[in-house]
């Protein structure tokens, strides 16, 4: 999608879940297309936002890229300085070295930390599992990471319940970064936090990106957060990317009707700005997708081919990609 070499190249990624009948003899009676034909590039040091309503396939896509779940098909190629690997096809054994280079920051800092483990044990665990440090070196690396995320070395012997939500998320970030990964999926990493704490954690993620040369896939439903932190944004609907664009362009000039509807549904703090109507109708069921464009039952711009032909994601120029028949008609 660009001349520069991406860190991550995702092509035609699919994750489908078979649905089986109840009863003694199980028969496959359907297929949930949670992630369906997703392609994008992610460049070193970049933050790509993945947005969409609940059920749009954002989290499944992030988990399939990290191989927390095995993709049904497609490729997930990482281009590291020492070679290229396709994470989609590796065995569990072959994946082990790759796991040190890609990590996930989870949404809920309350449930993602083991309450019976001390901060030191939580943060050090990935290094211990991969046998990358022990003894004094292990302690030094934990202390260094605690300082980087804004905690103190004296916090190491406390338990998660002694910390606030924001501090717990800092512990989760320290754990994710202790192995110095290149690539991090932040899945709704600030959604569970108060607004004032969200800003602090977002600033922390940004500072750590600069310091450690991280590349982020930032999954979120809060568009104002995405605008603040992301260089580019991919909008997902019913398991597919429908629009991908540089962040500022997407927010100032959205082209896909779904992106426009999502942005119109974001509350505006200015009382003089009249809110556009909210997105109407139910999000498409990935187990029973409408024909043609999956958004067509909700789309105010729907026209003849939309209910019959599926729009493909096409290059719309200037780093923008769009999956909408309006592009072919020259209307968007
Ligand atoms: Fe709307 Fe048709 Fe574009 Fe789908 S393809 S978003 S239905 S105009």
């Amino acid at each position: 999608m660009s001349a520069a070499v991406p860190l991550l190249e995702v092509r035609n990624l699919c994750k489908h879940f078979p649905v089986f009948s109840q009863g003694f003899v199980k028969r496959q009676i359907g297929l949930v297309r949670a992630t369906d034909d997703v392609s994008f590039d992610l460049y070193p040091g970049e933050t790509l936002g993945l947005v969409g309503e609940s059920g749009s396939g954002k989290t499944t896509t992030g988990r399939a890229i990290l191989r927390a779940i095995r993709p049904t098909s497609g490729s997930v190629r990482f281009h590291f300085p020492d070679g290229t690997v396709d994470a989609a096809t590796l065995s569990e054994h072959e994946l082990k070295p790759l796991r040190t280079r890609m990590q996930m920051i989870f949404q809920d800092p309350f449930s993602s930390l083991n309450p019976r483990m001390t901060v030191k044990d939580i943060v050090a665990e990935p290094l211990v599992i991969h046998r990358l440090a022990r003894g004094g070196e292990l302690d030094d690396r934990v202390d260094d990471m605690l300082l980087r995320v804004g905690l103190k070395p004296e916090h190491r012997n406390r338990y998660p319940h002694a910390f606030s939500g924001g501090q717990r998320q800092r512990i989760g970030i320290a754990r994710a970064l202790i192995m110095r990964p290149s690539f991090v999926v932040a899945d709704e990493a600030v959604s569970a936090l108060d607004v004032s704490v969200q800003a602090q954690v977002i600033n922390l993620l940004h500072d750590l990106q600069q310091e450690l040369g991280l590349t982020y896939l930032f999954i979120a439903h809060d568009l104002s957060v995405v605008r603040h932190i992301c260089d580019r944004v991919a909008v997902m609907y019913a398991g597919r990317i429908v629009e991908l664009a540089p962040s500022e362009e997407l927010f100032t000039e959205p082209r896909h009707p779904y992106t426009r509807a999502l942005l119109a549904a974001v509350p505006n703090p200015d009382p003089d700005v009249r809110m556009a109507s909210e997105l109407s109708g139910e999000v498409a069921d990935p187990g029973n997708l409408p024909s043609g464009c999956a958004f067509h039952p909700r789309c105010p711009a729907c026209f003849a081919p939309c209910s019959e032909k599926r729009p493909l994601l096409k290059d719309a120029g200037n780093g923008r990609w769009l999956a909408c028949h309006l592009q072919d008609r020259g209307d968007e």
Side-chain angles (χ1 to χ4, degrees):
M1 291 186 175
S2 160
V5 178
L7 170 68
L8 172 63
E9 203 175 48
V10 177
R11 290 291 179 273
N12 312 109
L13 183 67
C14 295
K15 179 61 192 176
H16 299 163
F17 296 96
V19 180
F20 294 99
S21 60
Q22 301 290 327
F24 189 64
V25 181
K26 303 247 183 269
R27 270 186 319 113
Q28 186 179 331
I29 54 171
L31 199 62
V32 173
R33 298 170 192 274
T35 295
D36 202 23
D37 201 16
V38 165
S39 299
F40 64 86
D41 292 340
L42 185 49
Y43 294 89
E46 185 184 33
T47 301
L48 176 69
L50 209 51
V51 302
E53 291 166 288
S54 173
S56 59
K58 313 180 295 285
T59 293
T60 303
T61 301
R63 287 169 57 81
I65 289 170
L66 288 181
R67 276 295 303 274
I69 50 176
R70 184 181 275 276
T72 306
S73 59
S75 64
V76 178
R77 279 196 291 274
F78 285 92
H79 299 288
F80 295 116
D82 54 346
T84 295
V85 284
D86 183 355
T89 57
L90 297 181
S91 68
E92 278 307 320
H93 178 69
E94 290 167 329
L95 269 173
K96 208 172 170 198
L98 188 58
R99 297 232 178 267
T100 64
R101 297 172 143 186
M102 54 185 197
Q103 287 291 312
M104 189 158 192
I105 299 170
F106 296 94
Q107 172 179 4
D108 187 353
F110 294 91
S111 63
S112 62
L113 304 178
N114 186 335
R116 294 199 187 88
M117 290 171 75
T118 63
V119 169
K120 182 204 155 178
D121 290 341
I122 290 169
V123 175
E125 193 177 33
L127 288 177
V128 173
I129 289 172
H130 288 270
R131 298 187 187 162
L132 293 174
R134 58 184 181 156
E137 188 197 347
L138 187 71
D139 290 344
D140 290 347
R141 286 182 67 171
V142 170
D143 288 351
D144 171 66
M145 194 47 75
L146 290 179
L147 287 168
R148 284 182 189 272
V149 300
L151 296 171
K152 296 178 182 156
E154 50 264 40
H155 287 144
R156 65 219 296 275
N157 294 322
R158 296 191 197 161
Y159 290 86
H161 66 79
F163 295 90
S164 66
Q167 286 174 316
R168 287 190 212 199
Q169 193 55 302
R170 287 171 192 265
I171 298 169
I173 292 169
R175 180 190 156 91
L177 302 187
I178 190 80
M179 287 196 295
R180 298 296 179 85
S182 315
F183 172 64
V184 175
V185 174
D187 186 5
E188 302 280 6
V190 297
S191 306
L193 305 174
D194 291 343
V195 174
S196 60
V197 182
Q198 277 188 359
Q200 293 168 14
V201 174
I202 286 171
N203 289 338
L204 173 67
L205 288 172
H206 182 260
D207 292 347
L208 289 168
Q209 181 174 41
Q210 306 297 311
E211 281 172 35
L212 305 175
L214 301 169
T215 302
Y216 290 137
L217 181 64
F218 194 88
I219 298 171
H221 68 275
D222 185 337
L223 293 176
S224 49
V225 169
V226 168
R227 185 175 193 168
H228 187 74
I229 194 170
C230 296
D231 302 300
R232 292 185 301 145
V233 177
V235 180
M236 284 192 77
Y237 187 78
R240 292 169 176 264
I241 292 178
V242 295
E243 183 164 11
L244 194 158
S247 186
E248 217 32 55
E249 279 91 325
L250 186 108
F251 281 91
T252 53
E253 195 203 335
R255 291 196 185 167
H256 195 282
Y258 178 60
T259 312
R260 289 182 192 147
L262 271 185
L263 291 177
V266 175
N268 193 311
D270 183 347
D272 294 333
V273 175
R274 205 165 63 85
M275 283 281 296
S277 63
E278 291 206 3
L279 202 49
S280 62
E282 292 293 312
V283 66
D285 174 1
N288 185 22
L289 289 174
S291 60
C293 171
F295 187 58
H296 87 260
R298 306 170 79 188
C299 180
C302 178
F303 65 115
C306 300
S307 60
E308 291 161 16
K309 211 170 130 200
R310 201 187 81 200
L312 300 175
L313 188 67
K314 292 184 191 165
D315 190 343
N318 298 325
R320 303 192 69 147
W321 293 75
L322 195 64
C324 177
H325 292 311
L326 289 174
Q327 185 175 205
D328 300 330
R329 211 170 70 170
D331 278 12
E332 47 67 48

